[in-house]
């Protein structure tokens, strides 16, 4: 099984999708990306997840995130299923779904966990930065749908911390105070955070969320 780690380059691939053939790195371009797998077409949780992802299209666009889904069924099945998703989830699926019938991409990304299910993928998520490095992974079982608010929250944290020497504390959400990275000395922090910061402990310094830089 593939053993991709944070910081690894997301493997490139070509695949048939509901919107034609794509080459992954070319599809991502200079944007952030999210690649997420679904156990199978015409299943209830997957139907709600793909509908949720489509309903967050504007939020992904604001953050410059390209969305790419995957399931191990074929293109015809995906296209027919999308009609059901649009109808039942009151949306328009506006991103490609990979038709991974030969499980090439699922295997490349370790999305099949044989002890959970030997043929279907689990619910994997890979968040990929513009330099194509993997910044976040998560794995849920087939029985648990993912929380797209949480994915957006993580993307906000990843984008903020990629360009500022800060980290985001427990339950942080966009606009909340952040913590200053331990690698930043107090002298550097004085210059970096001119509006000031609070020293709760020498290792725990909080400051207002900086503006998102890109
Ligand atoms: C679902 O998407 O509802 C689902 C898929 C596979 C197993 C269990 C649930």
């Amino acid at each position: 099984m593939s053993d991709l780690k944070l910081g690894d380059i997301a493997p490139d691939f070509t695949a048939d999708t509901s919107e034609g053939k794509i080459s992954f790195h070319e599809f991502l371009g200079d944007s952030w990306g999210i690649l997420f797998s679904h156990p199978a077409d015409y299943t209830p949780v997957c139907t709600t997840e793909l509908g949720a992802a489509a309903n967050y299209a504007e939020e992904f666009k604001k953050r410059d995130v390209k969305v790419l889904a995957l399931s191990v069924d074929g293109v015809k099945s995906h296209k027919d299923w999308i009609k059901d998703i649009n109808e039942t989830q009151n949306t328009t699926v506006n991103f490609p779904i990979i038709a991974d019938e030969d499980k090439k991409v699922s295997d490349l990304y370790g999305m099949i966990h044989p002890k959970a299910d030997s043929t279907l993928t689990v619910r994997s998520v890979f968040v990929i930065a513009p330099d194509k490095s993997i910044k976040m992974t998560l794995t849920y079982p087939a029985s648990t749908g993912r929380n797209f608010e949480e994915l957006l929250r993580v993307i906000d944290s990843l984008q903020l911390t990629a360009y500022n020497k800060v980290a985001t504390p427990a339950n942080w959400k966009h606009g909340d105070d952040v913590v200053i990275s331990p690698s930043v000395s107090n002298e550097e922090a004085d210059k970096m955070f001119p509006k000031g910061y609070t020293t709760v402990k020498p290792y725990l310094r909080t400051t207002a969320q900086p503006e998102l830089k890109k």
Side-chain angles (χ1 to χ4, degrees):
M1 197 170 91
S2 158
D3 185 26
L4 291 172
K5 298 270 198 299
L6 300 189
D8 288 349
I9 295 300
D12 198 11
F13 57 81
T14 55
D16 290 324
T17 80
S18 54
E19 298 185 4
K21 207 177 193 72
I22 65 157
S23 176
F24 186 45
H25 284 192
E26 196 183 313
F27 167 81
L28 292 172
D30 293 328
S31 298
W32 287 73
I34 173 166
L35 171 66
F36 61 130
S37 61
H38 296 269
D41 293 2
Y42 296 105
T43 49
V45 177
C46 297
T47 300
T48 61
E49 283 193 322
L50 287 175
N55 279 323
Y56 280 110
E58 273 308 306
E59 295 300 322
F60 286 120
K61 193 169 163 202
K62 261 199 256 171
R63 293 161 176 83
D64 190 25
V65 177
K66 298 258 177 75
V67 175
L68 181 59
L70 173 150
S71 133
V72 295
D73 294 307
V75 168
K76 165 97 175 63
S77 168
H78 285 357
K79 285 186 172 169
D80 289 342
W81 180 39
I82 285 170
K83 291 182 202 149
D84 279 7
I85 299 168
N86 291 345
E87 179 197 323
T88 62
Q89 307 305 304
N90 194 24
T91 194
T92 303
V93 171
N94 43 16
F95 49 80
I97 307 177
I98 296 171
D100 197 33
E101 285 180 292
D102 60 4
K103 304 193 175 73
K104 185 180 82 180
V105 180
S106 308
D107 286 338
L108 194 59
Y109 278 79
M111 292 166 166
I112 293 181
H113 293 210
K115 287 181 184 154
D117 190 302
S118 58
T119 56
L120 304 179
T121 63
V122 291
R123 298 186 194 280
S124 300
V125 181
F126 293 84
V127 177
I128 296 155
D131 67 359
K132 311 289 180 292
S133 64
I134 296 172
K135 292 295 180 194
M136 195 278 296
T137 64
L138 67 78
T139 308
Y140 280 22
S143 52
T144 305
R146 286 156 286 198
N147 183 325
F148 285 79
E149 286 284 342
E150 168 62 4
L151 289 181
L152 289 170
R153 190 191 75 87
V154 173
I155 289 165
D156 284 344
S157 170
L158 291 172
Q159 294 187 340
L160 184 69
T161 59
Y163 306 110
N164 296 277
K165 289 197 167 178
V166 297
T168 59
N171 296 336
W172 174 88
K173 57 186 183 330
H174 184 78
D176 288 352
D177 285 356
V178 299
V179 297
I180 299 173
S181 299
S183 63
V184 176
S185 68
N186 284 343
E187 292 68 32
E188 288 167 324
D190 291 340
K191 292 191 200 114
M192 253 177 228
F193 306 101
K195 290 189 197 146
Y197 57 90
T198 304
T199 304
V200 183
K201 291 279 180 190
Y203 59 84
L204 175 55
R205 298 164 296 172
T206 62
T207 189
Q209 179 191 310
E211 287 301 313
L212 260 182
K213 284 186 222 140
K214 290 214 172 161

